[in-house]
Amino acid sequence: MSQQRHGSTPGSTGAVPAFPDLPEATIARLPEYLRALHYLSESGSDTISSEGLATAAGVNSAKLRKDLSHLGSYGTRGVGYDVALLIDQIEYILGLDQRRAVCLVGVGNLGHALAGYDGFASRGFRIVALFDADPARIGEKINGLTVRHIDELGRVAAEESLAIGVIATPASAAQAVADDLVAAGVTSILNFAPCVLTVPANVDVRKVDLAIELQILSFHEHRKASLTALPGGRSAAGNQEAVGS
Amino acid sequence: MSQQRHGSTPGSTGAVPAFPDLPEATIARLPEYLRALHYLSESGSDTISSEGLATAAGVNSAKLRKDLSHLGSYGTRGVGYDVALLIDQIEYILGLDQRRAVCLVGVGNLGHALAGYDGFASRGFRIVALFDADPARIGEKINGLTVRHIDELGRVAAEESLAIGVIATPASAAQAVADDLVAAGVTSILNFAPCVLTVPANVDVRKVDLAIELQILSFHEHRKASLTALPGGRSAAGNQEAVGS
């Protein structure tokens, strides 16, 4: 797959290195800005103030300005940011102009949902292959793709230039799948299995654990309840314990 | 060895306040430690060194010791942490001893998968209600629960002491659902819709956006490719390089 897609790229014009040393937190916010910018663009906005964009993305505007300054984007005083230009800059940095090929391993409940999720295509990705180890699932069609046996991963990875592997298997199978993905040359993994994966240093792993997200919310519920708790008794109104009793 | 669970609480014994002022990053790691501790407990380990627990949880051991010191847990020199005690302490802090009631709104592809996910029950939560606005879905049974109309939310929230609402609707419906949840007294929301929600200050929102996770990985793919790119040409094979950030 070619590196350059449009002759020149927003990041290679000289003002900013192609890969500025971005803080992890900034990287994580760029997709939020991008989503907000696409929404603004579709609504007919050509420019947007840092305050407007910050509100649309759900962050504070000082943080947003600092994040975008890492990309060499400072906006224009009294005008704001050029929406189309900023979209190009962020998409370039995120590498979304390349429409990376994604494979999904494990087509149980969650895998089915992910395979059927329309949001990927509109946001820079193509799911090109589905895999499972269960013979009963091989050959099943989901959203136009046929589920293949995991043994075909190496061949498909070479054919399709797979960049990202999504693991939606049970925890017990996840490490073996990760090993297969790495052996097939995949260097980024999104792991939905509730376990820690061991991978070489050149492989990036991100993890989504739904129960962990709920447990973090549970902490906040507990904290809120403790703030309103009455000594020796039930908690005061304003949290679920009180609402339910 | 076992912590007292009834009458008094681990956090109220004097050494540590019931709600130590935990950094957000520490809160986010506690569920990881808990998962690793349950695994160790099931494997028959009574104690674990900080290094062993750190490896099982996928963090470095200095960070782990610091995190646990916030809970007043320092382990015993030469012995390590008491696994059962630490499970109790973390579950108490996370409020998991209360098995919080969760409702899910939106039973499309993703909602179906979430409703069928067995991981919740084993990790401190009960999904007690499913809602949708689509008349065609009302009455459908998923994992033993019947899908109800969203108009019933207020009544069900009162009956079931709903603590956490999960939004798995399209983005266009999510804010209205969040408003309904807040009106029903729910104070924690897990949002899968790709949009920013506006909620009162006492409501905690966590967001899971699958495309955003992929976009962050795409950034790392792009960065790795740029490190191995040959001038004016294709990238070197396989994105071999890159640790960094």
Side-chain angles (χ1 to χ4, degrees), chain A residues 221 224-225 228 235-243, chain B residues 185-187 202-203:
Chain A
E221 282 295 300
K224 283 181 283 201
T228 54
S235 59
N239 55 66
Q240 57 89 19
E241 281 87 350
V243 169
Chain B
V186 170
T187 49
N202 68 319
V203 176

Side-chain angles (χ1 to χ4, degrees), chain A residues 21-46:
Chain A
D21 193 16
L22 298 178
E24 271 298 322
T26 296
I27 298 164
R29 284 189 291 267
L30 291 179
E32 302 277 0
Y33 301 151
L34 185 60
R35 186 185 43 66
L37 286 162
H38 276 300
Y39 177 79
L40 290 163
S41 172
E42 283 155 22
S43 315
S45 303
D46 293 329

Side-chain angles (χ1 to χ4, degrees), chain A residues 54-107:
Chain A
T55 302
V59 303
N60 81 56
S61 61
K63 192 177 277 182
L64 174 131
R65 281 191 296 270
K66 178 136 194 238
D67 285 339
L68 297 183
S69 73
H70 288 299
L71 311 188
S73 290
Y74 298 94
T76 305
R77 184 175 292 272
V79 176
Y81 296 95
D82 180 308
V83 170
L85 176 63
L86 197 48
I87 286 175
D88 278 353
Q89 287 176 312
I90 295 176
E91 288 191 342
Y92 170 74
I93 287 287
L94 295 177
L96 301 182
D97 46 350
Q98 307 199 19
R99 295 193 55 72
R100 290 174 197 280
V102 176
C103 76
L104 173 71
V105 186
V107 291

Side-chain angles (χ1 to χ4, degrees), chain A residues 94 187 206 213 218 221 224, chain B residues 94 187 213 218 221 224:
Chain A
L94 295 177
T187 49
R206 289 191 66 86
E213 296 299 325
S218 176
E221 282 295 300
K224 283 181 283 201
Chain B
L94 294 178
T187 49
E213 296 299 325
S218 176
E221 282 295 300
K224 284 182 282 200

Side-chain angles (χ1 to χ4, degrees), chain A residues 5-245:
Chain A
R5 293 294 287 265
H6 306 295
S8 90
T9 51
S12 63
T13 52
V16 184
F19 274 86
D21 193 16
L22 298 178
E24 271 298 322
T26 296
I27 298 164
R29 284 189 291 267
L30 291 179
E32 302 277 0
Y33 301 151
L34 185 60
R35 186 185 43 66
L37 286 162
H38 276 300
Y39 177 79
L40 290 163
S41 172
E42 283 155 22
S43 315
S45 303
D46 293 329
T47 60
I48 183 73
S49 67
S50 57
E51 290 76 15
L53 181 53
T55 302
V59 303
N60 81 56
S61 61
K63 192 177 277 182
L64 174 131
R65 281 191 296 270
K66 178 136 194 238
D67 285 339
L68 297 183
S69 73
H70 288 299
L71 311 188
S73 290
Y74 298 94
T76 305
R77 184 175 292 272
V79 176
Y81 296 95
D82 180 308
V83 170
L85 176 63
L86 197 48
I87 286 175
D88 278 353
Q89 287 176 312
I90 295 176
E91 288 191 342
Y92 170 74
I93 287 287
L94 295 177
L96 301 182
D97 46 350
Q98 307 199 19
R99 295 193 55 72
R100 290 174 197 280
V102 176
C103 76
L104 173 71
V105 186
V107 291
N109 257 332
L110 179 63
H112 248 90
L114 295 173
Y117 179 52
D118 297 327
F120 293 130
S122 63
R123 291 160 88 188
F125 302 93
R126 298 175 291 130
I127 293 195
V128 298
L130 308 175
F131 298 100
D132 207 293
D134 179 357
R137 292 201 178 272
I138 313 303
E140 184 182 347
K141 281 238 175 201
I142 306 174
N143 233 19
L145 286 172
T146 304
V147 178
R148 313 194 216 202
H149 194 275
I150 184 73
D151 288 349
E152 293 187 55
L153 173 61
R155 187 175 56 71
V156 174
E159 282 172 14
E160 300 276 6
S161 302
L162 285 179
I164 299 176
V166 177
I167 300 179
T169 66
S172 55
Q175 182 63 53
V177 168
D179 294 344
D180 289 346
L181 288 168
V182 170
V186 171
T187 49
S188 285
I189 293 174
L190 181 57
N191 180 27
F192 284 89
C195 63
V196 175
L197 298 177
T198 304
V199 297
N202 68 317
V203 176
D204 286 285
V205 176
R206 289 191 66 86
K207 189 177 163 189
V208 178
D209 186 321
L210 310 176
I212 283 184
E213 296 299 325
L214 286 180
Q215 289 180 348
I216 294 170
L217 283 172
S218 176
F219 168 84
H220 289 293
E221 282 295 300
H222 193 192
R223 180 183 51 75
K224 283 181 283 201
S226 80
L227 291 175
T228 54
L230 301 173
R234 310 262 317 159
S235 59
N239 55 66
Q240 57 89 19
E241 281 87 350
V243 169
S245 42

